[in-house]
Amino acid sequence: MRRRRQNQLLLLSLLLLIPLLVLFYLAIGKDLLACEETDDVVVAKLSAVEEENRSLKKQLRFNSLRGNYTIGGDGSFIGENDISKCEVIHVAVVCAGYNSSRSVVTLIKSILFYRKNPLHFHFIADLSAHLVLQTLFETWFVPGVEKSFYLAENVKAEVSWIPNKHYSGVYGLMKLTLPKFLPSWLSKVIVLDTDVTFASDIAELWKIFHKLSDRKAIGLVENQSDWYLGKLWKGHVPWPALVG
């Protein structure tokens, strides 16, 4: 009697198990079909993207042959007004004295904050500014940044004979010596004052060199300082400066 009841329970369990197995199989099969359909969709989208990329590359190569683009050292395409990410931007600054060193640090930090290209700073500096800037660069450990120093004492004799009443003294004239003291291999450089702060990538300024022909050597910006325009107060007579 007991064995008969056990057989009945076993039969009932099997009858209940079969529908569960069927439901489980149907659920798994549905998921597998969905995965197969998803894989097919992904493969189709990838094929479409690859085809689009091939078409775009062909168009870019065609434009490159026409002179609208060049190919950078990293293999990327560069527009006629763009620069390669590997191109080094050269910056020249005259910096003399501790006060000038403090302001030039702000300038350097603003350039580093926005820059994407390697940089090479060229400093005409006296001994105190040289010590300050050399220590800063050695402790910052900023990658992609080189610096060169040119002793101001070696430059001063070139411009000290020029009559000058500017508040910066002889140091304001040292920018005139840059073509002589900078390396001969250097073909272009951005010359900056110490009291400048950048609000965008310095590469935007470097691109302007593309607009200079072989007959142009210097580019100047329009003077935007009210101090030099004589607009600060009545009777203000500023030190003369170029006005665009």
Side-chain angles (χ1 to χ4, degrees):
M1 188 73 179
R2 181 180 296 176
R3 181 176 297 177
R4 184 176 181 183
R5 183 176 297 177
Q6 289 178 348
N7 292 335
Q8 290 177 349
L9 290 175
L10 179 61
L11 181 60
L12 182 61
S13 300
L14 291 174
L15 292 175
L16 292 174
L17 182 61
I18 291 174
L20 292 176
L21 291 175
V22 172
L23 292 175
F24 178 77
Y25 175 79
L26 292 176
I28 294 297
K30 184 177 180 180
D31 290 340
L32 291 174
L33 290 175
C35 291
E36 292 178 358
E37 292 177 357
T38 303
D39 291 342
D40 292 339
V41 171
V42 171
V43 171
K45 288 184 177 180
L46 287 175
S47 299
V49 171
E50 290 177 355
E51 182 63 29
E52 185 177 354
N53 286 338
R54 283 193 292 268
S55 177
L56 181 59
K57 287 181 179 179
K58 289 180 181 179
Q59 183 63 36
L60 288 174
R61 290 192 182 94
F62 176 73
N63 289 337
S64 179
L65 294 174
R66 295 177 58 187
N68 295 334
Y69 288 85
T70 56
I71 301 177
D74 57 356
S76 60
F77 290 91
I78 308 165
E80 58 183 354
N81 293 323
D82 293 332
I83 64 174
S84 169
K85 294 180 181 179
C86 299
E87 183 173 354
V88 180
I89 296 177
H90 293 267
V91 180
V93 182
V94 177
C95 180
Y98 290 105
N99 291 333
S100 182
S101 300
R102 283 197 293 268
S103 60
V104 81
V105 169
T106 303
L107 164 65
I108 296 171
K109 286 183 177 180
S110 68
I111 295 175
L112 294 177
F113 186 80
Y114 293 102
R115 66 97 184 211
K116 297 181 179 64
N117 287 72
L119 298 170
H120 190 145
F121 289 98
H122 302 264
F123 295 105
I124 294 182
D126 62 1
L127 293 176
S128 60
H130 184 188
L131 177 61
V132 171
L133 295 174
Q134 182 73 26
T135 303
L136 284 177
F137 280 105
E138 288 179 355
T139 54
W140 283 350
F141 297 108
V142 181
V145 176
E146 299 291 336
K147 74 277 185 189
S148 299
F149 292 95
Y150 312 86
L151 191 59
E153 293 300 321
N154 297 335
V155 179
K156 188 180 295 185
E158 298 287 333
V159 292
S160 59
W161 59 272
I162 302 175
N164 178 26
K165 294 183 180 180
H166 193 265
Y167 58 83
S168 63
V170 69
Y171 296 105
L173 298 172
M174 288 187 180
K175 297 172 189 173
L176 300 174
T177 67
L178 289 173
K180 180 177 181 179
F181 288 94
L182 290 180
S184 58
W185 51 263
L186 186 58
S187 61
K188 51 189 177 182
V189 64
I190 297 175
V191 183
L192 299 173
D193 287 337
T194 58
D195 58 352
V196 174
T197 302
F198 274 78
S200 62
D201 192 349
I202 193 173
E204 297 298 319
L205 191 57
W206 190 258
K207 290 178 184 179
I208 297 179
F209 282 112
H210 292 288
K211 300 181 180 180
L212 299 181
S213 64
D214 295 338
R215 302 182 61 127
K216 297 177 182 178
I218 299 176
L220 299 175
V221 298
E222 182 178 357
N223 199 321
Q224 298 177 342
S225 172
D226 288 338
W227 170 268
Y228 290 116
L229 298 178
K231 296 181 178 180
L232 293 182
W233 57 80
K234 185 177 181 181
H236 173 54
V237 181
W239 194 85
L242 290 174
V243 179

